[in-house]
Amino acid sequence: RMLVPSASFTGPARIKALGSTTSVAMGLRRPRSGLRPSIVPCFVAFATISSLLSLSMAFKEEEFRYCKDSSFCRRQRKFDGQDDRATYKLHNAHLEDNGVVAEMKNALNPNQPLKLRATIYKSGIFRIEIDEASSAKPRYRVKDVLVGDISQHSVKGDLSLEEGVAKYRSGDHELTLQLDPLPFLARLTYKGEVLFVMNSRNLMKWEVRRDKSSEGAMEDITGENDGLWEESFKGHSDSKPNGPESIGVDFDFMGAKHVYGLPERGSRLMLGNTRGEGAARDEPYRLYNLDVFEYEVTADRAHQPLYGAVPILYSHRPNFSSALFWLNAAETMVDVEDGPDMKRTHWFSESGVIDVFLLSSDTPKGVQMQFASLVGTQFMPPMFSLGYHQCRWNYKDDADVRMVDSKFDEYDIPYDVLWLDIEHTVGKRYLTWDKHLFPDPEGLQHDLASRGRKMVTIIDPHLKVDMGYSVYAEAKRLGFFCKNKDGGDFEGHCWPGTSSWLDYLNPEVRDYWASRFLPANYVGSTEHLYTWNDMNEPSVFNGPEITMPKDLLHYGNVEHRDVHNLYGFYMTMATVAGHKLLRPGRRPFILSRAFFAGSQRYAAVWTGDNGARWDHLASATPMLLQLSLGGIHFCGADVGGFFGNPEPELLVRWYQAAAYTPFFRGHAHIDTQRREPWLFGDVVMGQIRAAIRARYLVLPYLYTLFHMAHTQGLPIMRPLWMEFPGDEVTIAMDDEFMLGEALLVKPVVSANTRSSNVYLPSDKDDIWYPFRNGQTPKEQGVFTSLWSRFRGQTGSLRGQAQAGGKTISVDSGVEQGIPVFQRGGTIIPTRERARRSTSAMRADPFTLHVALNVREEASGSLYLDDGDTDEHTAGGFFLFGLKFQSNQLEYRQTEGSGFKFSHPPPALERVIVYGITKQPARVTLKRKNGGGSELEFIYDKESAMLIVRKPNVPMNEEWSISFAK
């Protein structure tokens, strides 16, 4: 949201409701409900004001720190490992409790040794922990991010000591630790290949905690002495009561040419260097959750952190994949540069401990599953949340909401959720309703629910300081707010004015927050209401970098600097608990802007305050892939861009791309023009409607992918190299993506595009078929429409299927949609009837798209449950496997004990087989109960495609369809 100067306090301020105050004062006409704004006589004034607003909304880099502004970053980057006094050496390595333990000492702090512990887990993950051997005040260690007691999954390896090294082996993995008198060094080997080397450049720098009055306390070994015990930024002072306490060490990714990860940032998926050759800017990647308005997406801004942080970095080469997870919630920096046949990285955090997990596997999917075993998997969302979400800051009142809802039905555009931003509350007091604007919120929610729709309201973490506001007053009485360094309640500025922030690290505070969601406390709420947690980095308008001071205190006397990146994580944890109180046994839905590793267990995430710009549309794909690699699988970018007014073509292209991303929401700033689909004329509205319908068509496939994400930890949206690890062309690509293993999507991200070059990847002999983009087949006419988008392509394979491993040109005018291809060898389930919402589709029949590979085989799966409850956790679901082989399509149950349908079980309406080279003599259905019938079909030899019509077999039972030669 937009920042503008304010005289009321020193930091930047936000406009509470620019559209209802500033715009009116400036003589700008606000659009009426459902109508596009008129052209006002003062057009010149409007253009002038628009220019001023554009300037005020632009990214303000001076609000945020660089390395030069952060003393710990200056010290860590200046440290070169050449001073022997700082060199750590390992002593007395031995086995202890299923791990290797050793003492670490250096000459600089000989009486303050460190303790290293190395552990290996069953999945092949190595963990290296380094902490002070003893301390009067222990350092903070991250809690609640790792799932369960992972120590239960450790295995005892074999330790051998020989020639100054300790070798710790288990299966295909070996960790080598270099012992005294040599400098500390660790090397991880997998299947004989060295994947990681730790401290090869001797950059391990550990700032031991000390008294300010102790000898040498005012000096650093680098000579960088400013800011050791206090520093300031733009008038904000950080008292640093513990003094310097940063930690850092270098890691080499051996054999790596590229690295990926470190979300969230507006950058390419493949991270560029921050030092040395090829560095766009000599600035480390920074992990520090911040409220960054209209962020830039250029290479020289890639270091800028955004709203969330997952400190994981991936590397991939054709035979091996690896990742490094740095479990630290303090401000963290990562440098990347080239080395001889490697990528060199340098990790450093302002406080905390070194707690590193080294992941390695033959494939990228293996590494993803390892990471999920540590931090958990994607929560299984309710079905409605996979539909289209309509949002705006703000739908102004009850009549406005009802009008928008009715227009979607009037124009046959499906949607599932309507959102309300901050203006629905009483003076930005969250968990309240302004009864002048929304006199009957319960009735409004029930009315939406009568058509299968839900509502989401925004609930931010800052609470207005007002003893007449019960949510604040009770929290104040209980002492539940974050504290200043002197122990008083912290107060800062945000949307309501002076505010305080709940301390979600406190379990009692989380319980209190959860109780606020009960209808007795959240008056006006119903079971149909869900939650949007925004501004939870946390955003503090008059704070340093628009966030909390680092020397605030949390539960347990923990400094904010230690846990900054966890604040949003804990807020969403508490909000989920509230949803479970409100709807026992049913699934929550929460959207969060801030996140950390493991946030996928609680919330969906979006990419924040983007702009209505082509470069922001282009950036959405790599940003979402980056989030997906970080385990944040339920993610999306605001369609059309939050800031600014998208031209119609840009808006349509955004809908076309976002229809294939996990989270699909349109959203806009309060001072943008209204942009509901019907406001752009019939042609544009029709194109947007087609894009949204394309989303609903693939929901069965998408819901199945969410089940896989929930149970296995595999991303929904994947970089090409995750599915094609042997295709080296894909390693640097981020303008296409895979939706699961079956669909390749190429967004169109430039104006006036008539054709697109699409790379079709291949590991061996992959082939590809164009997917229909939501155009319901007209049986006979489907053949021509499916293949008409190729330019200059010949039917060399199975009709006009295309071989992988090459780039082709595809027609992609705005009226045709973006290129989407189905991978040969896959089966995709769809539902193809146009409905108003997901709930209206529950009894709809299925279509199966069977795309044969060169061996005339294909496989897939279909997941079914009730779409709402937690019964799936107790086996209340069906998972069916689909396999086409030897001219037979089989549908077999592989998991689940089933569930009771609230309607007749949906049936199979149609099977479309692509790449079938000969017309079958007959097609026969065989049911598990012994029944069967001969089926109607249509075959087209030129396109090598066959449509089987109306099998009408229930999809909760097993069956097979045979294609007789």
Side-chain angles (χ1 to χ4, degrees), residues 879-952:
L879 182 63
F880 286 94
L882 287 152
K883 179 181 286 188
F884 188 102
Q885 190 176 33
S886 302
N887 294 307
Q888 180 168 280
L889 175 63
E890 291 188 343
Y891 185 69
R892 298 286 181 259
Q893 186 174 350
T894 59
E895 293 182 38
S897 55
F899 68 99
K900 185 177 180 180
F901 288 88
S902 60
H903 47 78
L908 179 63
E909 181 177 40
R910 182 187 298 108
V911 177
I912 305 176
V913 185
Y914 307 91
I916 187 165
T917 54
K918 294 182 180 179
Q919 178 173 333
R922 61 185 178 277
V923 178
T924 306
L925 169 69
K926 182 178 181 181
R927 300 178 64 165
K928 185 178 181 180
N929 63 12
S933 60
E934 192 166 320
L935 301 176
E936 298 178 32
F937 67 91
I938 304 170
Y939 179 73
D940 183 80
K941 183 176 182 180
E942 182 180 358
S943 60
M945 186 168 68
L946 179 145
I947 298 177
V948 179
R949 303 180 66 248
K950 299 180 180 179
N952 292 334

Side-chain angles (χ1 to χ4, degrees), residues 402-467:
R402 293 178 188 274
M403 182 279 300
V404 171
D405 175 68
S406 68
K407 289 291 185 181
F408 273 93
D409 287 340
E410 179 182 343
Y411 292 107
D412 294 323
I413 304 171
Y415 93 102
D416 266 79
V417 193
L418 197 142
W419 294 53
L420 295 179
D421 211 314
I422 56 179
E423 310 303 330
H424 80 281
T425 62
V426 179
K428 319 300 188 294
R429 294 166 178 86
Y430 303 107
L431 299 156
T432 69
W433 293 83
D434 185 332
K435 289 302 183 73
H436 296 288
L437 302 177
F438 296 93
D440 182 16
E442 297 101 324
L444 178 60
Q445 293 162 54
H446 287 303
D447 182 54
L448 291 174
S450 71
R451 289 178 295 284
R453 291 169 179 148
K454 312 295 182 185
M455 177 171 278
V456 167
T457 53
I458 194 168
I459 301 176
D460 293 349
H462 49 267
L463 300 183
K464 182 177 178 63
V465 173
D466 175 6
M467 292 304 291

